[in-house]
Structures are given as structure tokens and as C-alpha cells.
Amino acid sequence: MVVTQPVVKQAALARDRLQLLRQAVRELTSEQGLEAILVWAADVCRDLAGARYAALAIFDARGQVTHFVTSGLSAEERQRLEPLSEARGLVGAVLQEGRPLRRAPVDMGPQEAGLPSYHPPVTSFLGVPLVSQGRPIGGIYVMDKVGAKGFADEDEELLLLLASHVSIPVESARLYVVAQQSAREAQALYEVGKSLNRSLSLDEVLQQIVHAAVTILQADKAQLFTLDEARGVLRARALYGFTTLKPRHVTIRIGEGMIGRVPRSGQSIVVQDTRQQPGVLRWIVEQEGIRSLIHVPIHVDRRVYGVLSVNYLRPNAVPERAQAILESLADQAATAIRNARL
């Protein structure tokens, strides 16, 4: 049997790639922190697949991007990238289907590929999911195979193998970040509760509440309306971050818009995209640039006293934990309001 030079080169390349994979798996356990793991994994995947570019994304349960890193771009190219907020295009297809996806040859822009705006065009694409407990939590993506029109079965197999190892520390690091964040939020709520109970002025209490809501939930704006049952309206009593609206200028009829429904239902409302949601108050959201929001009722003595809201300038920005946190803050606010009225 004659072994040709191309076969020898191919075997050597396969050995090198397996060695790189083994080394990568060993080093993976020594990486600390989610961001460090993602950056390292993107670099390794690009080398492993022989790609010009690579990216790695982590998503929350709603398909919103929580982390996104790239490899192969210059510092100037990375600086030009616009933030990626949601799974879309080929990147979104990998997440939704939970299986590898290959495309080649192609000539597509970043939008079609699901990459951030101003990413270089893609001529070939391979994406594999990161899976934890049977659920896709992210994906690894390599683009533009060097020296070939597209990625091969071997590239896919190697990336799937690496993804299975990467998913474990990624999920562990993600859960650690969530636990830390939860601890910080619990401490912040505790501090807010102490501060509110020291305040005797009702106006001061209401202003502290909207400030705390923005701080804890990292929101752009917050508002607190109190219910005037006699006139059937909600009156703005405290605003934070608003540029054009003033509290004395804002009254909303009960039943008007999403916020006006809260006193009737006594239930919280979350809107992840105001442009897609009928019933929001256009004159407020468009004037202030609000793209996502949450309204929660404030109950005092088992009656709806008012509505506490936080607003974001980005769509799909209301965190999964926001409702529980804001309702807890509303409960603390109710106690402080009750004391301030004595």
C-alpha cells in the first residue's frame, strides 16, 4: 500500500487538531470566570476549525443575549460592532433547533447570519449548540473556513466535542454569577427597606422607591403612580430618569393603557417590546424612548394604592427576575407608605 504525501499531511493535521482539543479540555478546568471561559473558548474553536472568525454566545430563557464574544476580529473591527440583543438568523436557528448548522458557500451579511452589525460578511458558517441539562443555553459559531469553501464533518465533530466540555463550566459560571447577583439584590432590598423605614415624608419615600427600583434592576427610568379612586385616575407622584415628563403633568385614567389595567386586575404586567405590544401608552413610550417595561401594583391594607414601574430603552431588557424583585420592593414600599401616612 502506497501512502501518498497528501494522506500523510492529512493524518498529521488530524493529530494536531486532536492534540489541540486535548490541551483545550485540560486548560478549560483552570479558567476562572465566565467571560474568561468564553473568550478562551472562541479562540480555541477558531483554531480548531481552521476558521477566520469565531463567536460564542450565551442566551437567557427568552433567547436574549447575555454574553457574546468574538475571535479573529481586529480591535478596530470589534469596536465597531453593535451590541447583539437577541438570537436571530443562523445564530438563532442553532439555538432554536438545538443542533449543528452548516452553510457553504454563502455570501451573507451579518444580519442574515445573526451576527452583530458591522461584522465582516460570511462566506461559510458552522454553528453548534451549547447544551446544559438537555436545553440549549448558547452556541459556538465559526465562519469563513480557511483554504476551503466550507466546513467539513470533522470540523463539526470536533466543535461538538469541545462544546460538550465547554457547556459544563459555562453553566457553572453562569449559575455562580446569578447567585452573586441574587445575593447583591437581596442585600440591596434589605438596605432599601431600612432606608425607607427611616423616612417620615411620603414624597421622600416615593422618590426613594423609584430610585431604588432603577438601581437594583439597572433600569433606565422608573415611575410611581398613586390611585385617586374618587376621580378614577392614576397620578404620577415620583419619576426617575424621565427627560420631558413631570409628575404634576401626568394623569392616567383607570383602564387606560397597560398601566391603567393594573389597579383593576391587581396583577403585574411585563412588556418586552413596546413597539409590538398594543395597548401601551404611545404618548409616553415614544416621547421617552421606552422599549420594554414592567408594572407592578402596590397594595396597602389589601387595596391597590398605586403602580410602580421600571422602564428600559432597549427591547427585551426586563430581566427574568425583575417581577419578583419589583414586587418585593413594592411590598417594602407599602410598609413605608403606611408608616409615612400615620
Side-chain angles (χ1 to χ4, degrees):
M1 177 180 177
V2 178
V3 180
T4 63
Q5 191 68 20
V7 172
V8 172
K9 288 184 177 180
Q10 188 174 6
L13 178 61
R15 285 197 303 272
D16 291 344
R17 296 173 82 186
L18 285 173
Q19 180 60 30
L20 177 61
L21 179 60
R22 293 192 189 99
Q23 181 181 349
V25 171
R26 286 197 300 270
E27 292 178 356
L28 185 59
T29 58
S30 66
E31 290 291 341
Q32 299 296 321
L34 181 57
E35 197 70 20
I37 292 173
L38 301 183
V39 170
W40 169 88
D43 289 338
V44 169
C45 291
R46 182 168 63 88
D47 292 340
L48 200 61
R52 183 168 287 109
Y53 308 112
L56 199 151
I58 304 298
F59 303 93
D60 64 17
R62 302 189 312 273
Q64 306 306 304
V65 178
T66 61
H67 295 80
F68 184 83
V69 300
T70 63
S71 178
L73 299 178
S74 66
E76 184 179 352
E77 287 173 323
R78 279 197 302 272
Q79 194 170 17
R80 285 202 304 266
L81 295 181
E82 293 187 351
L84 189 65
S85 62
E86 59 185 343
R88 63 190 183 196
L90 297 182
V91 167
V94 173
L95 178 70
Q96 292 163 9
E97 298 177 16
R99 60 181 180 82
L101 181 64
R102 265 189 280 170
R103 293 287 185 273
V106 294
D107 181 15
M108 64 175 61
Q111 294 285 337
E112 188 178 355
L115 299 169
S117 297
Y118 303 110
H119 190 284
V122 172
T123 60
S124 56
F125 176 94
L126 168 60
V128 301
L130 290 171
V131 179
S132 176
Q133 298 179 351
R135 152 181 94 81
I137 60 171
I140 295 172
Y141 319 98
V142 290
M143 290 75 68
D144 293 11
K145 176 74 172 181
V146 176
K149 290 183 178 181
F151 296 96
D153 292 344
E154 293 80 8
D155 300 315
E156 183 177 313
E157 291 170 5
L158 285 170
L159 287 194
L160 280 171
L161 185 56
L162 182 60
S164 67
H165 289 282
V166 169
S167 295
I168 299 170
V170 163
E171 180 68 355
S172 297
R174 189 188 68 82
L175 292 174
Y176 177 70
V177 169
V178 169
Q180 283 189 314
Q181 192 169 27
S182 298
R184 286 195 299 269
E185 289 163 352
Q187 181 63 29
L189 285 170
Y190 172 71
E191 296 297 334
V192 167
K194 289 198 302 182
S195 177
L196 289 176
N197 288 325
R198 287 196 297 264
S199 301
L200 297 179
S201 163
L202 180 58
D203 287 336
E204 182 182 347
V205 166
L206 300 183
Q207 196 60 48
Q208 285 186 12
I209 292 168
V210 294
H211 184 270
V214 166
T215 302
I216 295 173
L217 289 175
Q218 299 179 333
D220 298 298
K221 306 172 188 286
Q223 52 197 317
L224 192 152
F225 288 79
T226 56
L227 177 62
D228 184 340
E229 288 187 281
R231 291 177 173 80
V233 298
L234 287 167
R235 297 187 182 279
R237 291 289 300 273
L239 302 178
Y240 185 94
F242 283 76
T243 56
T244 58
L245 298 179
K246 303 299 179 184
R248 64 181 180 274
H249 296 154
V250 186
T251 59
I252 298 170
R253 295 189 307 274
I254 301 303
E256 180 185 6
M258 306 296 290
I259 190 170
R261 300 176 190 174
V262 176
R264 287 181 173 173
S265 68
Q267 302 295 318
S268 301
I269 295 176
V270 177
V271 176
Q272 290 291 2
D273 191 344
T274 57
R275 293 181 183 174
Q276 305 296 324
Q277 177 67 54
V280 297
L281 295 177
R282 296 291 167 196
W283 60 276
I284 293 181
V285 299
E286 292 179 2
Q287 195 170 344
E288 292 288 337
I290 296 169
R291 291 297 308 277
S292 52
L293 56 85
I294 176 172
H295 304 307
V296 304
I298 300 174
H299 292 94
V300 177
D301 298 328
R302 299 185 181 181
R303 297 170 66 94
V304 174
Y305 172 86
V307 180
L308 175 60
S309 306
V310 295
N311 317 115
Y312 297 84
L313 301 181
R314 309 175 311 284
N316 302 297
V318 180
E320 294 177 72
R321 65 192 187 282
Q323 183 171 333
I325 291 173
L326 206 58
E327 288 175 351
S328 177
L329 181 58
D331 289 341
Q332 292 195 26
T335 301
I337 289 167
R338 189 182 298 109
N339 292 338
R341 292 165 62 188
L342 295 177

